[in-house]
Amino acid sequence: EDQVTQSPEALRLQEGESSSLNCSYTVSGLRGLFWYRQDPGKGPEFLFTLYSAGEEKEKERLKATLTKKESFLHITAPKPEDSATYLCAVQAIGNAGNMLTFGGGTRLMVKP
Amino acid sequence: SAVISQKPSRDICQRGTSLTIQCQVDSQVTMMFWYRQQPGQSLTLIATANQGSEATYESGFVIDKFPISRPNLTFSTLTVSNMSPEDSSIYLCSVGGFQETQYFGPGTRLLVL
């Protein structure tokens, strides 16, 4: 059974204080690992897809990396508008590969 | 990415009643998915809806409780039947091709009293 665990559950940062969010996963065969951002009362907004160990992707202050067991979302010099819940999900290879298995999310709060 | 809308955006319902949630996409898509997000929780897949075939339900979800329609390639509905307070959640639809990135709608907030 595919499993995704995110840590920490909640993270408070001061504006400009860089940090990382962790996503540990177990999956039979990884097709892709996805990062989403979710603001309160809204649907998840797609950020990145990572397909293989060693892959990195960047978008503004966010950088996602992937190993065979975990992914990190690095936030550099965050701003208050980066406050949101960040969700990690995995998709397995094969017939069940349509399904996304989500972690519990990390609620990020950035104070000015 | 596709533009996805859901109706209603929120609703308050009485227990024992049913609510049908609509999901509309601005382009034709192969697969549509329905998720539930209970308060303070992450997303759980309810079912996958392909046009022209029966929806495929995940463990713990049954057709009698969550009937789904997929009449064409841009539209789907999810009905939450015989509701109880435990059904209070955000219901989300998403779209994506086979083993492709999924994009989500804005969600429907349901409160059952």
Side-chain angles (χ1 to χ4, degrees):
Chain A
E1 182 181 337
D2 303 338
Q3 289 191 327
V4 181
T5 303
Q6 291 187 246
S7 61
E9 289 186 6
L11 180 62
R12 289 191 174 192
L13 299 174
Q14 288 295 129
E15 183 172 4
E17 179 186 2
S18 301
S19 188
S20 296
L21 283 55
N22 177 263
C23 171
S24 298
Y25 66 91
T26 56
V27 64
S28 53
L30 182 69
R31 206 284 297 183
L33 184 141
F34 302 83
W35 282 98
Y36 291 86
R37 167 189 171 133
Q38 186 174 27
D39 292 298
K42 297 188 177 181
E45 174 190 348
F46 171 71
L47 294 174
F48 304 110
T49 307
L50 301 167
Y51 295 101
S52 57
E55 189 175 1
E56 299 182 352
K57 289 193 176 173
E58 289 188 65
K59 180 181 180 180
E60 297 180 355
R61 294 177 292 282
L62 300 177
K63 178 180 175 181
T65 62
L66 181 65
T67 72
K68 289 186 177 180
K69 295 183 178 180
E70 57 191 351
S71 177
F72 291 94
L73 185 65
H74 306 278
I75 302 177
T76 302
K79 297 181 178 181
E81 53 262 41
D82 294 322
S83 298
T85 296
Y86 290 86
L87 299 169
C88 170
V90 297
Q91 190 176 56
I93 295 171
N95 290 332
N98 303 313
M99 178 177 175
L100 288 178
T101 301
F102 280 87
T106 293
R107 190 170 71 255
L108 175 65
M109 294 156 281
V110 182
K111 292 194 170 184
Chain B
S1 62
V3 176
I4 306 166
S5 60
Q6 288 186 230
K7 289 182 181 180
S9 59
R10 58 178 62 218
D11 207 341
I12 301 174
C13 300
Q14 297 297 319
R15 70 171 64 212
T17 64
S18 297
L19 176 71
T20 295
I21 302 167
Q22 299 178 5
C23 180
Q24 180 76 53
V25 189
D26 69 342
S27 59
Q28 294 185 342
V29 293
T30 308
M31 293 180 170
M32 297 180 80
F33 307 87
W34 287 99
Y35 287 81
R36 181 175 73 181
Q37 188 173 28
Q38 294 179 300
Q41 303 294 314
S42 193
L43 282 72
T44 301
L45 180 65
I46 297 171
T48 302
N50 294 333
Q51 195 267 337
S53 63
E54 295 285 328
T56 302
Y57 289 82
E58 298 301 316
S59 176
F61 298 97
V62 295
I63 187 171
D64 290 346
K65 176 66 176 178
F66 298 101
I68 287 171
S69 77
R70 180 80 200 273
N72 57 52
L73 291 173
T74 63
F75 187 79
S76 178
T77 66
L78 170 76
T79 299
V80 186
S81 304
N82 188 26
M83 288 184 286
S84 65
E86 291 72 36
D87 294 319
S88 298
S89 295
I90 299 173
Y91 291 87
L92 295 147
C93 71
S94 72
V95 302
F98 182 68
Q99 298 210 313
E100 294 181 355
T101 298
Q102 290 183 24
Y103 297 92
F104 285 83
T108 295
R109 283 181 170 267
L110 172 61
L111 177 63
V112 184
L113 302 176

